[in-house]
Amino acid sequence: MTDTTVAARRQPRLPGWVRRLPAYILVWAWTAFTLAAILYVVMSALKTKREVLRSGWNLPQEWVWSNFATAWTVGRLGEYFINSLLVVGVSVFAILLVSTPAAYVLARARFRGRETLTNLFVIGMGIPIPMLFIPIFGILSYLRLSDSLTGLSLVFIAISIPVTIYLLTGFFASLPSELEAAAVLEGCNDFQVFWHVMLPLAMPGVLTALILNLIWLWNEYQLSLVILNSPQNRTLPLGLYSLQNAMQYTGDWPGMFAGVTIVIIPTIIAYALLSEKMIAGMTMGAVK
Amino acid sequence: MIRKRLIVLFLAPASLLYGGLFLLPTLSTFYFSLFNWSGFGQDMTFVGLNNYVRLFNDTVFWLSLRNTLAILFVGGFFVFGLAFLYTVLITSGIWGKKFFRLVFFLPNVVSVVALAGMWAYIYNPRSGLINTTLSTIGLDSMAKTLWTSPNNIFWAMLAALVWVFTGFFLILLMAGVDKIPTDTYEAADLEGASLWQKFWFITVPMLWDVMTISFVIWMINAIKMFEFPYAFGFLQVPQQLYTLGIYLYIMGFGQRDPIYQLGYATAIGVVMLVLTFVLIVVMRRLLRREQLEF
Amino acid sequence: MRKTVFAFGLGTALSALSFGALAQDQVKLVYWSLWNEPEPGANVVKSLIADYEAAHPGVTIEAVWNGRQNQTTVRNALASGTPIDIMDADMDGLKGGLAGAGELLPWTDDLAGASPDGTGPFADLFYPTLIDMSANDGVSYQIPYMLYAYNILYNAKLFRDAGVTSAPEDWDDFVAALEKVKATGVNAIAIESDIAFYNVKWFNYLLERIAGPDFLLKAVEDKTGETWRDPAVRKALDMELDLWTRGLVPEESRGYQWPAAQQTVAFGETAAELVGSWLPVELADTVEEGFEWGAMRFPAVKGGLGDINHVEVNAFSFGVLKGTKHEAEARDFIKFVVSAPSQQRFADEAKIGVANKSVAWAPEVATARQSLDEASLILPENHGIKALYPDYSTNVYEALHNQAFLGLITPEDYIEQMVSRTKEFWANR
């Protein structure tokens, strides 16, 4: 009996948790760091302006809850939360509404110029967003939608179409064509094939696109900053941006961290609750 | 099989919105790259390809390009290296998988300014987390390292950036791994395959599609990288942190320095677009060929 | 039933119409602001708007709080024909931006006319040369209202403890004073490594003290770049690098990211910083109770062509946009903002300096104000090159200086690169 076979036999006898110990250590190292980071942000929100600069990861000496009240009222975060919810909700829904059928056709129909059209959509992913700053003002004021949440939604939809179509065409293209053929044999027309057969199969992919759009539109502020001017129209990232700027010029770091905490806590909770569904979607979505 | 009417009906809304509000407007601004224009008033001077010639001779442009490519490749190497490593570890059957997945993703939901504030504290030369920890465990000479000095600040920023993006791609990769039938791994276990062998011969091939999408998303984000390095500079972004996106912004739109060279800025935008497009095409070619092998 | 609804609707429509007719007599000024809404400065502006509207029933002012990148936002909005009457921005930014592009109305006649409080010409309300400095080719397109000076701000107690009782007026005395401060166990000078435009102030001042106020602009405008080989450049560089060699700037400053260094000032660990007079406001809630701010003029250099009374400043300015339909009201509101009572409100609540010279500044910046009163020459940001050649100022001048200042390149390298990059700049233009 050689050494290697002994080793091979012995190994499975080690209890599972011992074999997994290195994995636990590495994963916990990263996790501890990230949790500490989030904790740092939250704790900094509770300190005085002087203490926050030197106490690092120590607990606050006195808990200054009023930082939250200040950030909430001065930053009008309540109002902006609703604006964000509206804009992002409507936009994400509309993005999927227009992109899914388009991606389906681009992936599965046969027509001249299909490749070119697909490339035209894909090229949009590479366009730097600041390029839109100047022309968008003119277009939105022509449509009488400048400085409005509707205008912002339209732009959000337009800029999210490329990546959504890119994701979904890949997804539709990979679906087996047998089902499609069977449905046609049973007398479905092309719309029915899409609606009853292909779309349900594509749902995981649609969900993936939904999540990616949700994440990045929820945090978008560069374009919003250019399009929205009236304080009552601001979205959450804009409110936070303005709060952060003001805090920097007055040295109010706890106030800034308080604003950030107010924004991230509900996001984390929503994410914890939704992540199961979201990731289930991705599981099938991105991977087919 | 799909009728023309349906094709038109399905394509029209997306094409109109995308074409009218994004593609055509931005492509039309690329026309400005042939002009000297401040963006104020009608005063435009046609300069042909001069802006591109100027880019070629501009030290700061090359610096920004180098930084962008460093983020793309060096950053990408670590982002995907770590994302793969942790995907394997977290899916290796340890307890608390869903919890870890949530935690790894968290940096992606926190505002970048807050993250930058936290990292500034971590890197602070005297009272920062790293250096106080190092001196507590007796590594006094290492504790004197200035992580954010001009020669190190780019790499310090990149480390923080890797921390953020690893979580994002971990989610995608884990989703892919979850899709792999468990009996594949069980069969491999029976044959005595090591963790590495399982990763290389099962995980990677089965993950090919999700990897392609992840790479493309990373590439596009890396070339356009703006927010995180910008926030890392708080008041004024040091030149060591310039990316193409930041340089474009500073030349055409930005900050408080009254530079306002819109024509020149759009020329940078054109370069970014071309770069993205070339890389996407190259990636697609490379990955398509690989795909045939499986 | 339907009829009554119709009549009701018609009534509403009619009353809306008549209201519309009434509203025509009403003047609405649109003001795009450089303040962020939660800032103290924005609160002062809000209260001034309320007072102005109360005193002028026909006028309403709508403020849009854009923050410091206001000018870029205004530019984008103007390109699409958005009506804006008044805006504000950094003085040098406005000079190189909207004013330079001819988008603002000139103030020449008003400045020659009477001031809002009726005492002498309007132009005399401001610090000497401030109006000239903000003008484009002799024509004023902007009215400065907030003002800050670059001085050496210091912790008065730490200097007293070290036995330094009077502000040194000469570089050698200054260095000697800092050595004394350092000997008491605190750091002498605070430096933020990543903020190039703070650090370049050392070089600006030294170059001015050695070679006079015109030298920098001359060096930039020399298309061969050779002026950068002038011994004054090397001397200025050596003098500021000497601060590092002597340990007056602690070595770890190379790793300080804003606001790490100014926090050491707030905590009494560092004695002084060369910075604008906004610093006391920024640190107001961070310093210990009773912190005593001092500001000294940048010392002179023996045998140099400059003067201790030459001070570098910057300001926030208003401009009236060319497209306004309410020119008279817009001008009137701006005059109201720079009148002494309004300016006093800025000085008291926003606590940065103000442009109206008759107004006292907040105690924290009183000594900075004194340096301005004694000033014989006021110099614009980076001696004017920021307004004239902003891309050079940011990408070449400030960036390369920071590399030399932090020891990333040698003084020889710095001079060689300044020569070649200046040449590159002019060749690319």
Side-chain angles (χ1 to χ4, degrees):
Chain A
M1 200 178 272
T2 61
D3 283 358
T4 43
T5 48
V6 173
R9 270 196 203 163
R10 201 179 281 156
Q11 214 169 10
R13 264 186 240 139
L14 276 169
W17 69 268
V18 176
R19 272 184 294 130
R20 289 180 191 130
L21 196 61
Y24 275 115
I25 291 172
L26 282 171
V27 172
W28 265 111
W30 188 288
T31 304
F33 179 79
T34 304
L35 286 181
I38 305 291
L39 200 66
Y40 172 82
V41 171
V42 176
M43 262 174 9
S44 301
L46 288 163
K47 293 176 179 173
T48 64
K49 289 181 192 173
R50 188 171 159 87
E51 195 192 352
V52 74
L53 303 177
R54 279 304 147 84
S55 57
W57 257 298
N58 295 335
L59 283 177
Q61 279 170 346
E62 45 171 326
W63 300 66
V64 191
W65 294 99
S66 61
N67 288 334
F68 285 103
T70 316
W72 179 264
T73 49
V74 173
R76 299 206 212 173
L77 296 178
E79 278 172 64
Y80 298 160
F81 192 82
I82 293 172
N83 284 347
S84 264
L85 219 53
L86 268 174
V87 171
V88 175
V90 169
S91 304
V92 170
F93 177 75
I95 289 164
L96 297 174
L97 194 68
V98 301
S99 303
T100 315
Y104 171 68
V105 167
L106 288 173
R108 309 213 55 118
R110 300 275 162 269
F111 60 95
R112 195 180 305 174
R114 190 178 61 102
E115 193 73 18
T116 320
L117 199 58
T118 313
N119 282 336
L120 269 179
F121 275 113
V122 170
I123 201 175
M125 292 197 295
I127 298 177
I129 295 296
M131 298 282 71
L132 198 54
F133 288 177
I134 296 264
I136 205 61
F137 252 102
I139 295 168
L140 288 182
S141 64
Y142 177 76
L143 297 172
R144 303 198 172 271
L145 288 173
S146 49
D147 189 19
S148 73
L149 294 177
T150 319
L152 183 66
S153 278
L154 277 178
V155 177
F156 273 1
I157 297 165
I159 58 172
S160 307
I161 286 175
V163 73
T164 314
I165 286 192
Y166 173 78
L167 270 174
L168 291 178
T169 38
F171 194 82
F172 276 119
S174 71
L175 294 177
S177 45
E178 291 85 4
L179 284 168
E180 210 176 358
V184 173
L185 281 179
E186 280 177 29
C188 288
N189 66 22
D190 49 6
F191 180 78
Q192 288 165 324
V193 171
F194 168 71
W195 190 251
H196 294 296
V197 181
M198 301 309 269
L199 189 61
L201 283 174
M203 235 29 212
V206 175
L207 215 54
T208 309
L210 181 143
I211 293 152
L212 288 178
N213 281 315
L214 209 62
I215 291 167
W216 92 270
L217 289 182
W218 185 256
N219 290 320
E220 204 292 328
Y221 79 88
Q222 254 189 301
L223 256 178
S224 321
L225 191 65
V226 173
I227 292 172
L228 302 175
N229 301 115
S230 313
Q232 74 273 13
N233 280 342
R234 288 196 182 129
T235 57
L236 208 48
L238 278 191
L240 200 58
Y241 176 82
S242 149
L243 194 64
Q244 282 166 347
N245 271 318
M247 298 305 181
Q248 278 178 26
Y249 291 119
T250 52
D252 187 358
W253 296 88
M256 182 202 91
F257 283 116
V260 171
T261 306
I262 292 175
V263 175
I264 60 172
I265 296 296
T267 318
I268 292 178
I269 293 172
Y271 178 75
L273 293 176
L274 292 176
S275 63
E276 201 51 33
K277 275 231 168 73
M278 289 170 30
I279 287 159
M282 284 200 186
T283 310
M284 296 180 285
V287 196
K288 297 167 192 173
Chain B
M1 266 204 304
I2 301 175
R3 284 167 301 170
K4 211 166 208 160
R5 212 177 51 186
L6 193 79
I7 294 178
V8 172
L9 190 72
F10 273 18
L11 280 175
S15 308
L16 277 177
L17 276 165
Y18 166 65
L21 286 172
F22 190 38
L23 187 66
L24 293 179
T26 45
L27 290 188
S28 74
T29 63
F30 285 145
Y31 159 81
F32 297 143
S33 75
L34 304 175
F35 291 84
N36 249 342
W37 188 38
S38 67
F40 299 105
Q42 310 299 318
D43 211 9
M44 290 167 79
T45 330
F46 182 78
V47 293
L49 292 177
N50 264 7
N51 280 330
Y52 295 93
V53 176
R54 195 180 140 195
L55 270 185
F56 190 79
N57 294 317
D58 181 347
T59 320
V60 186
F61 169 74
W62 289 108
L63 172 82
S64 313
L65 181 64
R66 200 187 67 201
N67 285 344
T68 305
L69 294 178
I71 291 175
L72 176 62
F73 293 112
V74 182
F77 175 79
F78 283 102
V79 165
F80 284 101
L82 286 164
F84 271 120
L85 171 70
Y86 277 105
T87 302
V88 172
L89 292 179
I90 295 178
T91 53
S92 69
I94 64 173
W95 181 86
K97 193 173 103 180
K98 286 169 192 167
F99 168 73
F100 291 127
R101 192 163 54 186
L102 172 72
V103 172
F104 273 67
F105 188 71
L106 277 185
N108 287 282
V109 302
V110 183
S111 113
V112 286
V113 181
L115 292 182
M118 183 202 79
W119 279 96
Y121 161 68
I122 292 176
Y123 286 135
N124 187 298
R126 207 187 322 176
S127 55
L129 178 76
I130 299 182
N131 285 356
T132 45
T133 313
L134 284 174
S135 66
T136 319
I137 57 174
L139 295 169
D140 282 316
S141 60
M142 263 190 84
K144 291 208 174 72
T145 314
L146 303 173
W147 305 99
T148 45
S149 74
N151 8 15
N152 298 336
I153 191 166
F154 177 79
W155 304 108
M157 184 279 296
L158 195 62
L161 189 84
V162 167
W163 171 68
V164 175
F165 277 91
T166 298
F168 184 84
F169 289 105
L170 177 102
I171 295 273
L172 287 179
L173 294 178
M174 271 182 73
V177 171
D178 282 350
K179 191 72 201 312
I180 300 170
T182 37
D183 49 6
T184 322
Y185 286 111
E186 281 159 12
D189 279 336
L190 281 180
E191 290 181 23
S194 68
L195 201 62
W196 170 251
Q197 285 170 322
K198 282 190 284 184
F199 172 74
W200 195 245
F201 293 109
I202 302 172
T203 314
V204 171
M206 300 283 270
L207 274 182
W208 204 251
D209 296 318
V210 84
M211 273 166 54
T212 317
I213 288 179
S214 302
F215 286 153
V216 170
I217 291 178
W218 167 252
M219 230 166 50
I220 291 159
N221 273 302
I223 294 171
K224 291 203 283 195
M225 190 61 72
F226 173 84
E227 267 198 344
F228 195 84
Y230 191 80
F232 209 76
F234 282 108
L235 273 194
Q236 188 188 30
V237 189
Q239 216 166 56
Q240 288 85 357
L241 295 183
Y242 274 23
T243 60
L244 288 176
I246 292 178
Y247 193 44
L248 181 160
Y249 191 69
I250 290 199
M251 290 310 278
F253 303 93
Q255 269 195 314
R256 293 168 67 180
D257 302 334
I259 298 181
Y260 303 119
Q261 297 183 4
L262 211 58
Y264 194 57
T266 48
I268 303 172
V270 173
V271 172
M272 286 167 72
L273 185 67
V274 170
L275 197 61
T276 315
F277 204 62
V278 167
L279 281 171
I280 289 182
V281 169
V282 169
M283 276 262 313
R284 281 183 140 191
R285 283 277 152 78
L286 280 177
L287 295 172
R288 193 180 296 162
R289 191 179 305 147
E290 294 282 343
Q291 206 168 21
L292 290 176
E293 291 170 9
F294 295 102
Chain C
M1 178 67 188
R2 192 168 284 171
K3 254 180 197 163
T4 46
V5 172
F6 177 69
F8 179 71
L10 193 69
T12 325
L14 278 175
S15 60
L17 268 178
S18 58
F19 180 75
L22 258 180
Q24 272 187 348
D25 306 330
Q26 196 79 16
V27 171
K28 193 180 92 176
L29 290 175
V30 179
Y31 157 57
W32 285 32
S33 175
L34 64 80
W35 300 101
N36 297 288
E37 204 183 359
E39 281 185 273
N43 286 330
V44 176
V45 177
K46 273 185 201 166
S47 75
L48 290 176
I49 288 176
D51 289 0
Y52 189 84
E53 285 175 345
H56 303 77
V59 182
T60 52
I61 298 169
E62 182 197 295
V64 176
W65 310 105
N66 286 322
R68 297 297 187 279
Q69 295 181 20
N70 190 32
Q71 188 169 219
T72 312
T73 318
V74 169
R75 174 188 71 177
N76 297 343
L78 287 178
S80 71
T82 310
I84 304 167
D85 302 297
I86 302 171
M87 58 84 62
D88 51 6
D90 296 290
M91 178 175 68
D92 53 342
L94 213 48
K95 189 172 171 177
L98 282 165
E103 294 293 313
L104 300 178
L105 292 176
W107 283 85
T108 323
D109 295 341
D110 297 75
L111 284 166
S115 82
D117 47 11
T119 56
F122 184 34
D124 287 358
L125 216 64
F126 306 91
Y127 282 91
T129 66
L130 188 59
I131 294 291
D132 297 341
M133 192 167 95
S134 64
N136 292 55
D137 296 323
V139 183
S140 294
Y141 294 98
Q142 47 176 315
I143 297 296
Y145 71 104
M146 305 286 292
L147 183 66
Y148 43 89
Y150 291 100
N151 282 303
I152 293 161
L153 296 180
Y154 63 95
N155 182 332
K157 183 176 172 297
L158 292 183
F159 271 76
R160 252 198 325 270
D161 291 351
V164 182
T165 45
S166 65
E169 302 212 335
D170 165 89
W171 179 262
D172 296 332
D173 298 341
F174 174 65
V175 172
L178 293 178
E179 290 280 10
K180 280 195 208 164
V181 171
K182 189 186 153 218
T184 64
V186 293
N187 292 321
I189 300 280
I191 294 292
E192 314 273 9
S193 74
D194 58 339
I195 312 295
F197 85 93
Y198 281 16
N199 297 336
V200 87
K201 296 292 173 266
W202 286 97
F203 191 67
N204 285 353
Y205 267 124
L206 279 168
L207 208 53
E208 197 277 336
R209 298 303 188 245
I210 296 167
D214 307 323
F215 182 83
L216 181 54
L217 192 60
K218 205 177 73 192
V220 174
E221 287 183 337
D222 177 0
K223 296 186 169 60
T224 66
E226 293 297 322
T227 309
W228 286 106
R229 295 193 201 279
D230 192 291
V233 174
R234 181 60 199 255
K235 190 176 176 195
L237 206 55
D238 285 344
M239 284 167 84
E240 61 176 18
L241 290 177
D242 187 45
L243 297 174
W244 291 85
T245 325
R246 290 169 179 270
L248 296 173
V249 183
E251 186 55 29
E252 69 207 35
S253 307
R254 297 181 72 236
Y256 280 156
Q257 262 184 297
W258 181 89
Q262 70 185 38
Q263 285 164 7
T264 65
V265 175
F267 280 78
E269 297 159 0
T270 306
E273 183 173 356
L274 171 56
V275 70
S277 37
W278 62 75
L279 188 67
V281 187
E282 237 173 67
L283 295 181
D285 295 310
T286 318
V287 295
E288 254 182 287
E289 197 81 19
F291 189 98
E292 203 184 320
W293 282 103
M296 60 175 103
R297 297 163 295 171
F298 196 92
V301 174
K302 272 196 200 88
L305 302 171
D307 191 300
I308 190 169
N309 284 323
H310 296 174
V311 185
E312 190 174 331
V313 302
N314 206 343
F316 291 160
S317 290
F318 280 114
V320 176
L321 288 140
K322 211 170 59 181
T324 181
K325 292 197 175 67
H326 310 295
E327 188 188 331
E329 289 84 357
R331 286 182 194 272
D332 192 56
F333 174 69
I334 292 173
K335 284 182 188 167
F336 169 71
V337 174
V338 291
S339 69
S342 309
Q343 291 268 288
Q344 194 64 57
R345 218 177 291 175
F346 275 112
D348 294 342
E349 288 166 42
K351 292 194 173 175
I352 310 174
V354 291
N356 185 322
K357 68 179 179 198
S358 69
V359 173
W361 293 15
E364 294 94 330
V365 284
T367 41
R369 149 84 198 226
Q370 203 183 335
S371 79
L372 268 180
D373 287 341
E374 291 161 9
S376 57
L377 179 64
I378 294 180
L379 291 161
E381 187 100 36
N382 291 356
H383 302 184
I385 65 167
K386 199 159 194 167
L388 286 170
Y389 311 107
D391 50 336
Y392 181 93
S393 175
T394 306
N395 296 331
V396 180
Y397 181 61
E398 288 178 2
L400 273 176
H401 171 267
N402 221 36
Q403 291 179 24
F405 190 59
L406 299 170
L408 217 58
I409 52 174
T410 63
E412 291 81 13
D413 271 351
Y414 170 78
I415 290 169
E416 285 312 315
Q417 288 201 41
M418 283 308 288
V419 172
S420 67
R421 293 284 293 277
T422 306
K423 247 189 286 188
E424 173 189 310
F425 172 78
W426 288 105
N428 279 338
R429 230 169 126 85

